[in-house]
Every structure is written in structure tokens, then in C-alpha cells.
Amino acid sequence: MMEPQNEPQLPPVSPNGLYFNSSAVSLVILAVLETEQPIKIPPHQLVSFLDTYLLSLHPRFSSVIVTGRDGEKRWKRVGVNLKDHIKTAVFPQGKSPEYYEGCFNDYLSEISAEQLPETQPLWEIHLVKYPTLNAAGNVIFKIHHAIGDGYSLMAALLSCFKRSDDPSLPLTLPNDGNVVGAGKRAAVSRVLAAVLSTASDLWLNFSKTRFLEDDLSPIRSGDPTVGLRPISAATMTFSLDEIKQIKSQLGMTVNDVITGAVFLGTRLYMHAVDPGSDGADTTALVLLNTRMLRSYNSIEEMVKQETNSPWGNHFSFLHVTIPKLTTSTTATSNDSDDALEFVRAKRHSLAVPLTAKLLHLYRKLKGSENVQTTIVSYMGELRVSVAAEKGFIDPNTFKSCVETAFRLIRKSACTASH
């Protein structure tokens, strides 16, 4: 779509937005809102709700991407027919939650492979009005990553809802505060660790972007069209209090613990499917928020001209080599220790902002992922979602391996505390 000649200059699409809206990659976010009660909202009320709240949040929800007069991609405001953005899933009537759970997963797989129409704003809402194993109903938000990152979209979602105890107050999330240094000696140690880790990570990011590829394995098919193929999904839930206890025992963070579990679980899955893949070189592409904040700001704060938490895609990529198992037969506490120490070391790396500059130069990503994990915590629970290439990776087996890895880490923490 081309920008008309007589219109003023339109706002440009950010570099990260360009990465995810190209011929090589088209990345969407699928966010699922589970409801405790059946979904019975009339269509006209949903249209009114979206018109009142969603479209007013940010211009990108009512904009399309066009090619500007200068050849650059830009955002152009358009009229929005909200009915075109609302989809309702249709399944057979009178079935069990177990049956609808399968239908729901198949539906997720189906819409994940469908491209969003470029002639209208890049988002959809899908209503699944059938009870599954975890909810009475599900609302699926399908939003193109060019609109914003997870931080922006979570802030937008929170701004659309009210507190049940006092609707006049905005929804808020706890603020963990700032991290305070532990003295000069610790500061010197961190600087040295940062130099070593940054050099290693920057070289890995450069080489993985330009010429190195992972080995083929149970989690990498090598199919160049993997990013356009259907997915299958599975979710697992962990106690946030238990994770906090583990991180206190090991002197780590919550992110360290759960990332270590995912890394170790990945290797356990590879071994379970093909023991010969234990030595395969495997890399995780980690998306990291570059805002350096510990809580969500309001949507009003994010759209200000001068703010430390702006709307958009403010994240970078870090290629992280997944540690290999220390034994070829079964995982041990040593493997969990190795995974945790590896993740801990990555905290000191400065490769994240440097990699962002590297991607600005190359403006392309090489390859796609066969399995993706997303992590969110809420009301004392931490939910890990696994989206895997359908027919190539078994998400339920992968889920079981991550749960086994978490038990190994918990056992290691108990041993360390004694």
C-alpha cells in the first residue's frame, strides 16, 4: 500500500517493527484471556467496548502500514470496521471440556498460520465460547508484533479493565524497586564479568546472524518455512512462592530459575526424542526488554513525548547457547547447577544494546524457531506456555521435560540450603 502524494509525512515503522513485517518474518502475538464465567457479551456491546477503550489507547490500533514517498514503511490512520476484527469460533455443541480443549488447541494452531490482512489494522479478537479444562471461555488477542511488544500490549490490556474491589481505581502491579549494588568489590567483579560475557555474546550474536547455524535436532528441523507453519501449544503452571524460595536459596532471580528450567528441559526433551542429539549445538533466541523497568506504567505515561517507558517495540535479541547435559544417560543435579550458573552469567552481558545496534545495520533475522516459550506471572502463579511446530515437536512431552527440570532445580536448591 502506497502513501498518497498529498498527505503530510506519516510516522515511520520502527526498526523492530520492520523486522517482524517482512517477506522473511511476519510475527504475531497470540494472547489468551481465560474467563471464569461463560462469554455472553452481545456483539454490539463488544464493538462499543473496543471503540471506547482499544481504539483510543494508541493510533496503531487504527493504522495500517504503507510505503511512504521516501520508500520507507510508515503508519497511516484509517477507518476501522470493528466487526471485521471480531471472530467467533464455532465448534460442535454439547461436548465435554476435554473435547473442547482439543478444539481450542487446534483453533490456536489454525489462526497462528493465517496472515493478518494488510488492508486493515493488524489485530483481531477471537471469542471461544466453549468450556475448556482451564476456563469457562477464552478470548484470543491476535496482534501483529509491529504494533508493539509484550510490555506495551500488557499495559494496553490492563488499562481496559477495572479493579473488582474498587472500579474507580486503575489496575496496578507491584513494583520491585531498584536493584542496589553490593559494594566496590562486587562492582569490580561485575565489570570484569561483563567484559568477558559481552565479548562472547556479541561474537555469538554476530555469527548466528550472519553465517553460523545450529545443528539439526529434535527442536530444529531446518525448514525455512517453519515461521509460517501451524503450531501446537501446551501450558504449565508453577507456584511463584516456590520459585521465590528457590531463588533465595540459590542467590538468583526468578527469571534465572525459570529460564534455567526451560533450558534444562529443552535438553531433556532432545535426549528423550533422540539420545544422539545430546552433543548438538543448540541456541535460544531470547527477547529482552530494554526499558530497564520493573513494573508496568500506565498507558497515559507510555504515550507521552518524554517518558522512560515509551510505547512500541523496545526489546533486543540475545543468542544464548543452551548448555549440554553432563551425562549421556539421564539428567542430574549437576546439569541443573550448570544451567543456572550459565543463566546467571548472562546477567552481566552488555551484548543486548550492542546487538540492537547490530540488527539496525543488517535489518534481517536469519532463520526461525521450531519451539517458543512465553512466561507470565499473575496472582501467585507463573504460567509457561510452549508453542511448537505442529507435527515436529510434541508440546506435551516438552512440557513434561520442563517440569522434570524444575524438580531437579528444586532438589538442587534444597541440597544447597542444607
Side-chain angles (χ1 to χ4, degrees), residues 12 23 71 144 265 365:
S23 58
H144 199 286
L365 297 174

Side-chain angles (χ1 to χ4, degrees), residues 39-41 43 88-89 127-131 136-138:
I39 300 174
K40 296 181 179 180
I41 182 171
T88 302
L127 305 179
V128 182
K129 302 179 180 181
Y130 303 90
N138 291 273

Side-chain angles (χ1 to χ4, degrees), residues 4-5 43-44 53 62 85 104 112 135 137 144 146 192 197 279 306 325 405 410:
Q5 292 292 326
H44 72 277
Y53 292 99
S62 55
H85 294 263
F104 176 72
S112 70
H144 199 286
L192 292 176
S197 185
E306 300 294 334
L325 298 178
R410 182 176 56 195

Side-chain angles (χ1 to χ4, degrees), residues 21-42:
N21 190 46
S22 66
S23 58
V25 177
S26 182
L27 186 63
V28 298
I29 297 172
L30 292 178
V32 178
L33 179 65
E34 298 174 345
T35 64
E36 293 182 347
Q37 302 296 327
I39 300 174
K40 296 181 179 180
I41 182 171

